[in-house]
Amino acid sequence: MNHLQQLNDLRQEHAKLQAEWLRQLLTLASGGLALLAGLGPSIPSGIGKYFLAGTWLFLGLGIVAGAAATFLQTHQANAKADLYQQSLLKHLQEHGTLGIAEFAAKPAPRALRFSRHAMVTSLLLAVCCLVTYSILRTLGCG
């Protein structure tokens, strides 16, 4: 039982750290999008406008995907608690006492499982677009 508790503690620590990391990325992305929108840069001509538009697009997508990714952890914790409760109730009905019930959480919906990867990819693309736009603007090409 000690090993199961250690494994459970490690999984909970991992989930907590991952949630903190996702919140940090969301905060940075939201701040970056607000800053870009708030500065109201003149819309450039040429290829630069596409990189600026790409930056806004990918920041927005990253924020939406990040919100879904943080919800994923809530969904998984709730699904796990529901399965555990059902397992305990079934054991109680069959044996008249509560025992240790084994259970495995069902997988989360595919869109939620994909959202964390979509968030990171979108935010990386946004940074690439912003850097390219900034370089083009500095060189006078955009």
Side-chain angles (χ1 to χ4, degrees):
M1 187 64 174
N2 188 24
H3 295 294
L4 289 177
Q5 185 61 42
Q6 288 176 339
L7 178 61
N8 186 48
D9 291 345
L10 288 173
R11 289 197 184 273
Q12 286 180 352
E13 182 181 352
H14 175 262
K16 180 182 174 187
L17 292 172
Q18 188 175 52
E20 290 174 12
W21 178 71
L22 289 173
R23 279 192 295 268
Q24 182 69 21
L25 284 178
L26 277 173
T27 301
L28 291 171
S30 299
L33 186 60
L35 184 62
L36 280 174
L39 290 177
S42 60
I43 301 300
S45 59
I47 196 166
K49 69 180 174 184
Y50 297 109
F51 285 104
L52 182 59
T55 300
W56 287 338
L57 172 71
F58 291 126
L59 277 174
L61 287 174
I63 291 167
V64 170
T70 56
F71 178 75
L72 170 63
Q73 292 178 326
T74 302
H75 173 80
Q76 288 175 329
N78 188 43
K80 188 176 177 180
D82 286 347
L83 286 172
Y84 187 66
Q85 180 180 357
Q86 290 171 5
S87 179
L88 286 176
L89 290 175
K90 182 178 177 184
H91 190 275
L92 180 60
Q93 289 173 345
E94 292 174 359
H95 303 287
T97 62
L98 290 177
I100 297 174
E102 293 185 22
F103 65 96
K106 61 182 177 180
R110 187 177 193 155
L112 288 179
R113 287 183 280 140
F114 175 72
S115 62
R116 184 177 32 226
H117 301 294
M119 174 190 176
V120 172
T121 302
S122 293
L123 295 180
L124 287 174
L125 288 171
V127 169
C128 291
C129 285
L130 184 59
V131 168
T132 304
Y133 166 73
S134 299
I135 290 170
L136 289 174
R137 184 134 180 165
T138 302
L139 296 176
C141 301

